[in-house]
Amino acid sequence: MAAESKQEQSLLEKAQRVLPGGTFGNTAADLIIAEGKGSHVWDENGREYIDYLIGSGPMIVGHGHPEVTAAVRAQLERGTTFFANNPQGIELAAAIADAVPCADKVRFASTGSEADAFAIRLARAYTGRDKILKFEGGYHGYSDYGLMSLAPKTPGNSPQPIPDSAGIPESIKEDILVAPFNDAVAVESLIKEHPNAIAAVFMEPLQRLIPPQPGFLEAMRELTRAHDILLVFDEVVTGFRMSYGGAQQYYGVVPDLCTLGKAIGGGFPLSAVAGREDIMALFDANRTPAERFVPLVGTLSGNPVAAAAGLATLEILKRPGTYERYFETGEKLMTALSRSLESAGLEAQVVGVPPMFDVVFAPGDVRNYQDTARADSAKMAKLNGLLRERGILKGENKYYVSTAIDEQDVVQTIGIWSDAIGAMRST
Ligand SMILES: Cc1ncc(COP(=O)(O)O)c(C=O)c1O
């Protein structure tokens, strides 16, 4: 969108001067968000949006929730970082251990990418094996190992991974195997082709927006257990979102390890590796021989301001009825969006679950990455643009619902959908 004010123009120019591509790398250069409150954000020109980006996930209870703000403010007065254990971090770890089925122990880091990289290393150290089996289209952060076959341009490359970034050494490919999501037969045959070599099946239990087919997670649990492979759930997105205990509680399949991020930092940088006592013991130098010890040290790990925000967020989410209302809102939105697309006669469907979903412009089942890769991305970009012009902010491929979305937001969103989808049909 074109700049509307001198102030915005000046910021856009400055951004172009000092930032590669004029951006932080996350969203388009022409978007400058200046403020957020509850379920809405405002751009630099004061244009208001219903926010379905929610900071790419962390703002699950909305922007500036009074209880989160009060907890942060109280901690700010008492110091902002210590590099030492602090009460808020200990309480947050205890809240995570109480909530998340696999979490006997918790170790903090600052970003989801970091937690994933450490979980990969931990799985290798525990099993003494090097290979990681991941799923095509799954995102596990930006480490050399994580950023493989997230969005390959060529179809059907499994099991060879395709790096999603320049600068990743060729040798890394040796240690990553890629399978199609929701295909237990493919996973089983890869495990059999690589006996005693795979450290972990590393997966998003609900991959991007694609739910696991009935029995798929259970099959992953059985196969990994039978072959002494660790099952790791990347719950950076799904943790405290699919339910208070995450996707592992929602789907009733408990992994050996999981990673958490986004919601647990309440809008501040905080992530965690959590899991089984005997595996997490490798982070403890006093319980582990030196050759198996995995150091996880970080200047800001368990930062008290982030922990205070995360803890306040979890306290809000834990209240009775929160997830019921949250899912009801998401369901209403998903149903309305489906109806809108259907009545416009567009070849499109809504994929996902009530906390996060989006339109896929393609017919047929969506069970894995290749099914989403068939979708018409030009149409998607067009619709996203029309929505932004009309006051809906969302990610390129995702609506994240927050608990702050109220009835009025729902009504307004449905109106905007119908208008934007109508405009889409007439172009
Ligand atoms: C499933 C998943 N894992 C890991 C990450 C990386 O987290 P971060 O961006 O905090 O490094 C993301 C980020 O979106 C994610 O969606």
Side-chain angles (χ1 to χ4, degrees):
M1 284 204 265
E4 285 171 16
S5 68
K6 273 205 174 131
Q7 164 72 3
E8 190 190 29
Q9 188 55 41
S10 144
L11 274 173
L12 288 172
E13 281 167 15
K14 199 174 283 180
Q16 285 298 340
R17 195 153 27 87
V18 295
L19 304 173
T23 85
F24 299 162
N26 293 333
T27 56
D30 65 349
L31 179 68
I32 303 176
I33 296 297
E35 201 179 329
K37 190 97 207 116
S39 55
H40 289 219
V41 289
W42 287 262
D43 71 15
E44 191 52 32
N45 292 309
R47 287 190 82 237
E48 185 169 353
Y49 303 86
I50 306 174
D51 187 17
Y52 293 102
L53 182 57
I54 62 167
S56 191
M59 307 317 293
I60 183 169
V61 298
H63 296 276
H65 190 291
E67 290 171 53
V68 178
T69 304
V72 166
R73 202 167 271 144
Q75 185 54 45
L76 288 177
E77 299 291 331
R78 307 181 64 192
T80 52
T81 203
F82 309 119
F83 194 66
N85 281 6
N86 59 73
Q88 284 68 23
I90 294 170
E91 294 297 347
L92 178 61
I96 292 170
D98 281 349
V100 178
C102 81
D104 295 334
K105 288 271 199 303
V106 177
R107 174 59 65 87
F108 291 121
S110 295
T111 67
S113 293
E114 253 189 292
D116 282 347
F118 279 113
I120 289 172
R121 188 179 290 162
L122 184 63
R124 289 193 171 125
Y126 183 82
T127 57
R129 301 169 176 178
D130 284 346
K131 288 191 194 302
I132 301 292
L133 191 154
K134 72 159 305 239
F135 293 94
E136 194 178 26
Y139 183 45
H140 305 298
Y142 48 66
S143 74
D144 286 352
Y145 294 104
L147 207 51
M148 288 282 186
S149 293
L150 165 64
K153 304 284 178 285
T154 45
N157 60 302
S158 321
Q160 275 80 38
I162 297 183
D164 291 283
S165 169
I168 295 178
E170 271 298 302
S171 58
I172 302 279
K173 286 190 195 168
E174 301 269 303
D175 289 325
I176 304 288
L177 295 165
V178 176
F181 192 65
N182 274 323
D183 189 342
V185 173
V187 174
E188 183 168 14
S189 65
L190 277 176
I191 289 176
K192 290 192 170 148
E193 276 166 39
H194 300 273
N196 303 317
I198 301 174
V201 169
F202 206 104
M203 64 188 297
E204 295 181 77
L206 176 145
Q207 184 171 292
R208 308 286 75 199
L209 296 176
I210 308 172
Q213 300 273 300
F216 179 61
L217 295 179
E218 288 81 353
M220 293 305 98
R221 182 63 284 182
E222 277 170 33
L223 276 170
T224 48
R225 197 171 275 141
H227 295 270
D228 298 322
I229 295 168
L230 296 186
L231 180 62
V232 187
F233 281 179
D234 179 336
E235 294 233 42
V236 169
V237 167
T238 53
F240 293 92
R241 198 177 314 269
M242 286 302 290
S243 74
Y244 191 68
Q248 54 193 279
Q249 182 184 62
Y250 185 86
Y251 291 114
V253 175
V254 180
D256 300 300
L257 288 176
C258 75
T259 54
L260 298 161
K262 302 202 189 252
I264 63 162
F268 289 81
L270 191 137
S271 66
V273 180
R276 239 171 58 196
E277 168 95 41
D278 59 325
I279 309 170
M280 295 294 287
L282 270 60
F283 282 139
D284 179 354
N286 295 322
R287 282 188 58 194
T288 307
E291 68 280 7
R292 297 191 79 208
F293 173 54
V294 178
L296 196 178
V297 186
T299 302
L300 293 171
S301 296
N303 171 270
V305 180
L311 199 54
T313 299
L314 300 199
E315 274 161 17
I316 296 159
L317 291 172
K318 198 173 166 188
R319 291 187 186 135
T322 303
Y323 287 91
E324 285 81 351
R325 283 194 300 278
Y326 182 45
F327 271 65
E328 253 171 49
T329 305
E331 259 154 35
K332 244 186 243 171
L333 289 167
M334 287 177 83
T335 307
L337 183 54
S338 292
R339 285 209 185 114
S340 217
L341 293 164
E342 212 176 288
S343 61
L346 292 173
E347 193 166 72
Q349 56 186 305
V350 177
V351 173
V353 285
M356 57 213 168
F357 57 84
D358 210 339
V359 177
V360 171
F361 281 97
D365 272 359
V366 174
R367 294 165 51 107
N368 58 36
Y369 167 76
Q370 292 300 336
D371 294 334
T372 53
R374 286 188 284 110
D376 188 331
S377 53
K379 276 195 186 143
M380 187 72 174
K382 168 96 188 150
L383 180 57
N384 286 343
L386 291 167
L387 291 168
R388 198 174 133 197
E389 281 165 20
R390 288 162 175 75
I392 283 183
L393 188 67
K394 64 179 286 286
E396 264 175 49
N397 292 300
K398 196 184 279 183
Y399 289 85
Y400 264 121
V401 179
S402 77
T403 60
I405 293 286
D406 62 16
E407 201 46 51
Q408 203 184 328
D409 293 323
V410 171
V411 171
Q412 207 181 331
T413 300
I414 294 172
I416 294 174
W417 278 338
S418 135
D419 192 40
I421 289 168
M424 178 96 187
R425 203 177 47 163
S426 58
T427 55

